[in-house]
């Protein structure tokens, strides 16, 4: 299965790697090209005496290259895949060289060892020992979180006493100090909210920062009160509160729950980077029920984010939902496979009624008051620009209703060019007060609009 050039470039860890990979997609740079149903391979001449060995496992896709680059995939892997997408005839279907077979075999062996390890972990003795150890860790963390929340209570009370007007007079290091304290007490979710609160105060030069800050403060206070009454909340909302504070269910526990099998269309993705942890949230939609799913991937430090499912692709398989009041985040089961990388033209759906979309959002928000964003696929909407506005872009529906586009969206003119003055399909996230476009579908092609955000 070959991806399109756009989808291959989307696998690059950063724009520089995508650009460098494009430069490697030339037959003059490669020799020993070959492939079969499972893999592609080739030799790329670099600055050294011996060419680099690049190979791709198409089932992933997964990449391997013996070049010294620490980026994954490196420019040679990107270039090899781009070359295949442009000229598949150059890849002869021959027996793979030993270095390719060794890599494929090692991947298979690791998969088998993982299966054996999972089977051993499923014995009654292993389960009992794991549960006892987990209980001890949970009790210790519970005490740490409570200590952090006590500090947060005092901090919020001080802010409320002094008032919003004084927030910008405080040094920015105060917010980082509070966030660091919450990280130390194992409440990273709250720490992220405190950092975001600081950015809303010091990072926004426009009028209205007070409102954004007040919203963040209100959410922090509401989370604190909800956690204090955790036992009285519905089970799904308990999971939401714990997740917002920083607890996460293990993948093993999630995979043990019943899954949902279907064909899944990759609608779009959002990447975030705060200088410490990078994340990519990929949104998929079930073909049969229209149910949303979100695959969340992380990176830390200098590590690159793992390749995300390409926007516009179709997968088939099973997903398992994390427990939540409004289940959205999922884990892919082993049977999830890429079915079609470029599904082509999709049937034109009826024009979106924004009132109906907001009704679905309101129902989700009533179930989970900590909901930060809600996926929306808007059909037959037209980008409109109004100069001089705080949020100059909007999406106008066929009935004349308009949806404000988030001021952080930087691809407005690109979206306008894609539309060409005509309605198109736009997927994105409604964030309570504005809409953030993540992809657009026009003329049988899906375009990624995620510009990333610090």
């Amino acid at each position: 299965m070959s991806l399109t050039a756009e989808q291959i470039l989307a696998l690059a860890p950063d724009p520089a790697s995508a650009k460098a990979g494009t430069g490697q997609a030339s037959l003059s740079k490669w020799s020993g090209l070959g492939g079969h149903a499972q893999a592609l391979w080739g030799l790329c001449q670099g600055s050294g005496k011996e060419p680099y060995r690049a190979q791709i496992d198409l089932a992933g896709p997964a990449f391997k290259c013996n070049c010294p680059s620490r980026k994954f995939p490196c420019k040679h892997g990107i270039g090899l895949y781009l070359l295949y997408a442009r000229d598949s005839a150059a890849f002869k279907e021959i027996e793979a060289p030993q270095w390719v077979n060794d890599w494929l075999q090692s991947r298979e062996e690791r998969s088998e060892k993982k299966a054996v390890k999972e089977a051993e972990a499923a014995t009654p003795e292993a389960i009992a020992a794991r549960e006892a150890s987990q209980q001890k860790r949970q009790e210790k963390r519970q005490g740490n979180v409570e200590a952090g929340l006590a500090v947060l209570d005092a901090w919020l009370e001080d802010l409320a006493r002094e008032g919003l007007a004084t927030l910008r007079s405080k040094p920015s290091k105060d917010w980082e100090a509070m966030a660091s304290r919450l990280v130390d007490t194992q409440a990273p979710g709250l720490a992220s909210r405190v950092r975001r609160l600081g950015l809303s105060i010091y990072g926004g030069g426009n009028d209205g920062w007070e409102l954004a800050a007040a919203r963040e403060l209100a959410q922090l206070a509401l989370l604190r009160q909800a956690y204090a009454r955790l036992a009285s909340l519905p089970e799904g909302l308990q999971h939401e509160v714990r997740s917002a504070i920083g607890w996460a269910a293990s993948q093993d526990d999630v995979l043990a729950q019943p899954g949902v099998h279907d064909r899944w269309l990759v609608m779009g993705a959002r990447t975030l980077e705060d200088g410490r942890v990078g994340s990519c949230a990929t949104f998929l939609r079930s073909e049969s029920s229209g149910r949303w799913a979100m695959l969340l991937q992380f990176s830390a430090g200098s590590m690159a984010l793992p390749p995300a499912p390409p926007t516009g692709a179709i997968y088939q398989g099973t997903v398992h939902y994390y427990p939540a009041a409004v289940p959205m985040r999922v884990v892919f089961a082993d049977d999830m496979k890429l079915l079609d990388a470029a599904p082509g033209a999709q049937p034109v759906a009826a024009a979106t009624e924004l009132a109906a979309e907001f009704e679905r959002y309101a129902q989700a928000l009533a179930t989970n008051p900590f909901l930060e964003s809600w996926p929306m696929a808007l059909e037959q909407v037209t980008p409109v620009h109004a100069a001089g506005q705080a949020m100059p872009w909007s999406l106008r529906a066929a009935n004349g209703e308009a949806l404000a586009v988030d001021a952080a969206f930087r691809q407005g003119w690109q979206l306008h060019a894609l539309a060409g003055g005509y309605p198109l399909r736009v997927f994105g996230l409604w964030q309570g007060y504005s809409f953030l476009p993540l992809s657009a579908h026009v003329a049988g092609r899906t375009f990624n609009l995620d510009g990333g955000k610090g």
Side-chain angles (χ1 to χ4, degrees):
M1 176 67 68
S2 175
L3 305 183
T4 66
E6 290 173 349
Q7 292 166 336
I8 294 169
L9 291 174
L11 299 176
D14 51 49
S17 297
K19 182 178 180 180
T22 302
Q24 298 295 317
S26 171
L27 278 174
S28 63
K29 295 180 178 291
W30 292 87
S31 62
L33 294 172
H36 51 49
Q38 186 177 358
L40 303 173
W41 59 86
L43 304 174
C44 185
Q45 188 60 54
S47 57
K49 181 178 178 181
E50 297 295 327
Y52 296 125
R53 296 174 174 179
Q55 48 202 307
I56 303 171
D57 184 342
L58 296 173
F63 298 80
K64 181 176 175 60
C65 181
N66 65 344
C67 74
S69 173
R70 295 184 179 181
K71 295 183 178 181
F72 180 81
C74 68
K75 65 180 181 180
H76 305 109
I78 294 292
L80 181 65
Y81 214 166
L82 284 173
L83 184 60
Y84 179 74
R86 296 171 183 175
D87 188 6
S88 60
F91 291 73
K92 297 180 180 179
E93 189 168 343
I94 57 176
E95 184 177 349
Q98 190 60 43
W99 50 275
V100 175
N101 287 331
D102 289 344
W103 179 57
L104 294 176
Q105 183 178 354
S106 68
R107 285 177 55 80
E108 184 176 351
E109 289 173 353
R110 286 197 299 271
S111 179
E112 291 173 352
K113 288 179 181 179
K114 180 182 177 182
V116 171
K117 187 177 180 180
E118 290 174 348
E120 292 174 348
T123 62
E125 297 79 8
I127 293 174
R130 191 163 59 249
E131 289 177 347
S133 178
Q134 183 179 15
Q135 181 64 29
K136 290 181 65 176
R137 291 195 303 271
Q138 290 288 355
E139 290 174 355
K140 181 179 180 180
R141 183 176 184 181
Q142 183 80 21
N144 290 339
V145 170
E146 290 289 354
L149 290 175
V151 175
L152 180 65
D153 282 343
W155 186 71
L156 290 174
E157 288 175 3
D158 288 342
L159 294 181
R161 186 181 308 111
E162 295 170 4
L164 286 175
T166 67
L167 292 182
R168 277 192 169 176
S169 65
K170 297 179 179 296
S172 59
K173 64 180 181 181
D174 286 2
W175 308 94
E176 182 57 37
M178 186 67 244
S180 297
R181 180 64 183 270
L182 290 170
V183 170
D184 292 341
T185 57
Q186 296 181 282
L190 292 178
S192 295
R193 288 175 178 264
V194 169
R195 289 195 179 101
R196 187 169 61 195
L197 173 59
L199 286 174
S200 72
I201 295 170
Y202 298 102
N206 58 323
D207 294 336
W209 66 267
E210 300 94 339
L211 182 58
R215 291 168 182 162
E216 290 291 349
L217 285 168
Q219 282 285 296
L220 279 169
L222 185 61
L223 267 173
R224 177 62 184 104
Q225 293 302 316
Y227 187 75
R229 298 169 174 79
L230 194 65
S232 65
L233 301 179
E235 182 180 357
L237 193 52
Q238 290 184 30
H239 287 293
E240 297 282 6
V241 172
R242 289 170 62 84
S243 176
I245 287 175
W247 267 283
S250 72
Q251 284 198 8
D252 291 340
D253 291 341
V254 176
L255 289 169
Q257 302 301 314
V260 178
H261 186 87
D262 209 331
R263 285 160 53 103
W264 302 87
L265 176 62
V266 182
M267 302 295 294
R270 185 186 187 190
T271 56
L272 292 170
E273 176 63 57
D274 67 0
R276 298 168 179 79
V277 177
S279 66
C280 179
T282 302
F283 294 86
L284 306 94
R285 197 172 196 179
S286 158
E287 183 180 75
S288 62
S289 67
R291 184 174 181 179
W292 292 107
M294 179 189 69
L295 177 69
L296 192 56
Q297 298 167 291
F298 294 97
S299 68
S302 61
M303 293 176 55
L305 282 165
T311 299
I314 294 178
Y315 282 74
Q316 181 166 322
T318 305
V319 302
H320 297 262
Y321 283 86
Y322 278 76
V326 183
M328 183 76 68
R329 185 182 175 188
V330 298
V331 175
F332 282 3
D334 290 338
D335 67 344
M336 183 67 84
K337 301 296 181 185
L338 179 65
L339 194 64
D340 195 345
Q346 300 172 22
V348 177
T352 293
E353 294 287 341
L354 293 182
E357 290 292 334
F358 283 130
E359 176 61 27
R360 284 187 280 270
Y361 168 71
Q363 292 174 1
L365 188 63
T367 304
N368 173 23
F370 305 105
L371 189 67
E372 295 190 61
S373 61
W374 181 252
M376 289 184 179
L378 306 179
E379 301 285 350
Q380 300 182 42
V381 292
T382 306
V384 177
H385 184 263
Q389 302 294 322
M391 290 187 287
W393 288 100
S394 61
L395 296 173
R396 187 173 60 206
N399 62 3
E401 296 176 329
L403 198 64
V405 171
D406 195 281
F409 183 62
R410 296 290 181 260
Q411 290 78 38
W413 291 112
Q414 179 185 353
L415 181 59
H416 181 70
L418 289 173
Y422 294 94
L424 76 169
R425 177 183 304 163
V426 179
F427 167 77
L429 301 176
W430 175 249
Q431 302 179 115
Y433 304 92
S434 60
F435 182 79
L436 181 66
L438 295 177
S439 70
H441 186 86
V442 58
R445 298 177 62 190
T446 302
F447 298 85
N448 179 26
L449 298 175
D450 174 35
K453 184 179 180 182

